[in-house]
């Protein structure tokens, strides 16, 4: 049984993914309605006819979150779909797989070096292709409600927020302690851990920005937890700079 059959027939791979809440059908009715509230799926009418929801729910389209801490799950995916092995060995592995069993296609999405998003595409067991705009457009057009584009957008925004935080000196607690300790004689605050001199305005701006970025990341986690209830969003941060 190949990966596409397994998912459709709820075979062993589907079962272990489901056990850890690492797989979902992104077009199930309740999921669609919750995601519409989060500004996903703009071309799906919330008040549409029930039969249209039934048609969406029946689509054999699956979204998988790859949790690399679940090594047995990762191994089962590598064995079931061989092209994934090359991606795993190359460094940054996918964070998500979007699988369309209608055409045996797999889109892989992840955050790579400097938390930059990347995507690659495979069909019928072919090697994953990173830099094929025509193929990317084909995959995108084949997916209802621009789910492909939404995942790309979400990872792009998330990667930028991670990068912003990772490239800010210290964290909110450390910066607040710096303010509490007071300035040096020249009116600046010496941040020993970073070997930096900062003004009060710079510190306040860093604290404010860190709060905004953290809130945005938490909001994204809330969205993704509609699909994957156990997802810990900060585990997607590569920390690779």
């Amino acid at each position: 049984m190949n990966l596409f059959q397994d998912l459709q027939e709820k075979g062993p791979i589907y079962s272990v993914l489901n056990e850890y809440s690492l797989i979902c059908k992104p077009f199930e009715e309740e999921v669609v309605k919750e995601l519409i509230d989060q500004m996903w799926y703009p071309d799906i009418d919330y008040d549409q006819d029930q039969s249209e929801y039934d048609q969406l729910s029946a689509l054999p389209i699956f979204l998988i979150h790859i949790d690399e801490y679940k090594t047995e799950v990762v191994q089962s995916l590598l064995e079931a779909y061989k092209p994934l092995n090359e991606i795993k060995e190359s460094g940054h592995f996918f964070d998500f797989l979007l699988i369309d069993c209608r055409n045996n296609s797999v889109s892989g999405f992840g955050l790579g070096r400097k938390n930059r998003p990347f995507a690659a595409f495979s069909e019928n067991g072919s090697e994953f292709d990173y830099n094929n705009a025509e193929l990317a457009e084909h995959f995108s057009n084949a997916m209802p409600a621009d789910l492909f584009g939404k995942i790309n957008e979400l990872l792009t925004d998330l990667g930028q927020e991670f990068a912003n935080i990772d490239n800010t000196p210290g964290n909110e607690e450390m910066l607040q302690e710096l303010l509490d300790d007071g300035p040096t004689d020249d009116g600046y605050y010496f941040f020993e851990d970073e070997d930096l001199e900062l003004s009060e305005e710079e510190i306040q701006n860093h604290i404010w920005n860190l709060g905004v970025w953290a809130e945005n990341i938490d909001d994204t986690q809330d969205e993704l937890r509609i699909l994957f209830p156990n997802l810990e969003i900060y585990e997607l941060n590569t920390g690779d700079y």
Side-chain angles (χ1 to χ4, degrees), residues 10 54 57 79 88 102 107 127 166 176 187 200 210:
K10 297 186 177 181
D54 293 342
S57 296
E79 292 173 359
K88 183 76 169 68
R102 296 172 302 174
S107 308
E127 291 184 4
D166 291 342
Q176 187 58 56
E200 181 175 352
L210 286 168

Side-chain angles (χ1 to χ4, degrees), residues 174-183 189 200 203-204 207:
M174 295 167 70
L175 291 165
Q176 187 58 56
E177 287 179 1
L178 197 60
L179 282 178
D180 293 342
D181 290 341
Y189 297 76
E200 181 175 352
I203 295 173
Q204 294 285 13
I207 291 173

Side-chain angles (χ1 to χ4, degrees), residues 31-216:
V31 172
V32 168
K33 288 181 176 180
E34 285 194 66
L35 289 175
I36 286 175
D37 289 342
Q38 297 289 334
M39 308 303 292
W40 290 44
Y41 302 156
D43 58 345
I44 296 179
D45 182 1
Y46 190 93
D47 299 318
Q48 67 183 317
D49 184 87
Q50 180 62 41
S51 63
E52 295 186 55
Y53 273 123
D54 293 342
Q55 290 174 20
L56 279 172
S57 296
L59 291 173
I61 295 173
F62 301 87
L63 189 59
I64 293 172
H65 167 42
I66 296 179
D67 181 346
E68 292 201 67
Y69 292 106
K70 304 291 189 300
T71 54
E72 73 276 26
V73 179
V74 174
Q75 187 58 38
S76 68
L77 288 170
L78 295 175
E79 292 173 359
Y81 201 70
K82 300 300 183 184
L84 288 169
N85 286 269
E86 183 178 352
I87 307 300
K88 183 76 169 68
E89 292 166 4
S90 67
H92 290 291
F93 198 29
F94 298 127
D95 294 307
F96 300 98
L97 298 176
L98 181 56
I99 298 179
D100 189 343
C101 297
R102 296 172 302 174
N103 48 30
N104 290 352
S105 68
V106 181
S107 308
F109 304 84
L111 290 176
R113 190 171 183 273
K114 297 187 177 180
N115 275 308
R116 292 171 179 152
F118 66 94
F121 318 95
S122 170
E123 202 163 35
N124 291 314
S126 65
E127 291 184 4
F128 279 92
D129 193 330
Y130 285 92
N131 300 307
N132 188 325
E134 183 178 341
L135 185 60
E137 184 177 4
H138 164 70
F139 272 60
S140 180
N141 291 339
M143 188 60 53
D146 196 26
L147 176 59
F148 177 94
K150 182 61 184 181
I151 296 172
N152 257 327
E153 176 191 342
L154 184 146
L155 284 179
T156 298
D157 292 345
L158 182 62
Q160 184 60 60
E161 303 293 51
F162 282 149
N164 289 338
I165 289 176
D166 291 342
N167 288 291
T168 298
N171 55 42
E172 289 180 79
E173 182 179 350
M174 295 167 70
L175 291 165
Q176 187 58 56
E177 287 179 1
L178 197 60
L179 282 178
D180 293 342
D181 290 341
T184 59
D185 291 341
D186 60 3
Y188 284 84
Y189 297 76
F190 183 65
F191 195 171
E192 186 174 355
D193 289 354
E194 302 285 342
D195 194 24
L196 282 176
E197 272 195 338
L198 299 170
S199 69
E200 181 175 352
E201 182 180 5
E202 287 175 318
I203 295 173
Q204 294 285 13
N205 285 339
H206 285 322
I207 291 173
W208 188 85
N209 285 330
L210 286 168
V212 170
W213 297 328
E215 184 176 352
N216 291 340

